[in-house]
């Protein structure tokens, strides 16, 4: 299956695009993270966080097929 | 849902208007504000001339709403307002404004610190420093 | 010596002007303010309609000057401004304004609390509550 | 000797005057306080503080003949 990936901040420059269609075999956080690092090795140096439906996701979070946001470290304020 | 974002800088006039809007709330005895101002840092010999902000706006607005509700209850406040700039903000201008109010002052100090720190650590906002040689660099709160 | 006193209420416009005056200070990254607003308390069934303030002004100004110097050094701040009203201030208006600024935010939270508390406990300022039946009562911070 | 006493806040109402000439025998905090309470019994219920030359004075403070300020509890802010 495919899931839409949306990049933010510096990652947009690193990847060269705002969005990306990621092919995944399992709808799980770890699987998405591994697949993302494999297909986008340029983001590996970053401490990233993923979010779906406006919530940070982690290992146990139950996911759906909504877009996944990929965040570099935050720097608001 | 209320948006915390403002295109460009947050003006002193906007802050005055926010204060004025609370002068009819006669149960309030204490206001506090935090304002973030773009500082002229030096990075590898280059002067910062401004910052450019982007964000996952929808998520920020949801998190800000939750944070407001949480802190109003925890610290028994009357209200909390949070504003953040998007786009280019020059050195000396304000990019971040937190405004909270309560009956008494005692609770407001810790509330302000917690609110400011949580916005900085939990909201997906991304700031890019623009230097005087037109190069730029990305900031990180961690 | 700089006077902390203003005849009558401290207007939101005055606060905006104070903020604006600091936008040329490009080493500043964080501002904080505390504002005291006259609250409509109820005292023995009477509604507060305003406060009337008097002070030993010269002594207050000396103590405020010492307090500013002490806290600027202790918390490594850029500046501190303290303003207090004299005379009659109606409910909803501002009577007390503390404004402090520093390079970084971390020091400013404790500095603000300490400054506000020391002004309230150490400066000879005297507030009289005026009620809706034209009677009045004296307040005490202790 | 005589020293000028200046009242503030509610004390002005209680005493009915802003200032008062106090006759004292010793230029000492305790002596002034005792003499003040004797001549102005209406201020006895108040927790007062005294100041001279814009400084709070206490038992050990060295005094001169400048006016003495008498403060009720503070209530600024």
């Amino acid at each position: 299956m495919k899931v839409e990936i949306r990049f933010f901040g510096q990652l947009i420059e690193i990847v060269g695009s705002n969005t990306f269609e990621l092919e995944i075999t399992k709808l799980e956080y770890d699987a998405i993270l591994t697949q993302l690092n494999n297909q986008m090795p340029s983001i590996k140096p970053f401490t990233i966080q993923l979010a779906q439906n406006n919530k940070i996701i982690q290992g146990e979070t139950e996911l759906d097929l909504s877009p996944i946001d990929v965040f570099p470290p935050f720097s608001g304020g | 849902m209320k948006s915390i974002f403002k295109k460009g800088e947050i003006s002193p006039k906007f802050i005055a208007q926010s204060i004025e809007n609370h002068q009819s709330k006669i149960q309030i005895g204490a206001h506090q504000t935090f304002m973030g101002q773009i500082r002229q840092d030096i990075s590898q010999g280059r002067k910062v001339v401004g910052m450019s902000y982007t964000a996952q706006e929808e998520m920020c607005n949801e998190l800000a709403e939750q944070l407001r509700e949480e802190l109003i209850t925890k610290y028994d406040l009357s209200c909390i307002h949070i504003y953040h700039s998007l786009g280019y903000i020059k050195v000396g201008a304000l990019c971040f404004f937190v405004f909270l109010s309560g009956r008494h002052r005692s609770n407001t100090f810790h509330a302000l610190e917690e609110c400011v720190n949580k916005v900085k650590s939990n909201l997906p906002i991304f700031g890019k420093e623009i230097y005087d040689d037109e190069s730029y660099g990305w900031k990180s709160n961690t």
Side-chain angles (χ1 to χ4, degrees), chain A residues 5 13 27 29 37 49 59:
Chain A
I5 303 292
E13 288 176 6
L27 199 52
Y29 173 82
N37 277 312
Q49 290 189 86

Side-chain angles (χ1 to χ4, degrees), chain A residues 5-67:
Chain A
I5 303 292
R6 303 190 298 195
F7 296 105
F8 287 84
Q10 187 173 7
L11 299 180
I12 296 170
E13 288 176 6
I14 298 293
V15 166
S17 165
N18 286 290
T19 60
F20 178 74
E21 291 264 296
L22 188 73
E23 184 66 46
I24 50 169
T25 47
K26 274 193 290 188
L27 199 52
E28 279 173 13
Y29 173 82
D30 289 335
I32 292 170
L33 198 61
T34 307
Q35 194 65 2
L36 201 59
N37 277 312
N38 286 343
Q39 293 199 31
M40 299 266 157
S42 57
I43 68 168
K44 270 190 193 166
F46 290 88
T47 307
I48 59 170
Q49 290 189 86
L50 306 188
Q52 190 178 57
N53 300 317
N54 300 330
K55 284 178 187 61
I56 294 291
I57 61 173
Q58 284 165 316
E60 330 72 50
T61 317
E62 219 168 292
L63 306 178
D64 59 36
L65 282 168
S66 308

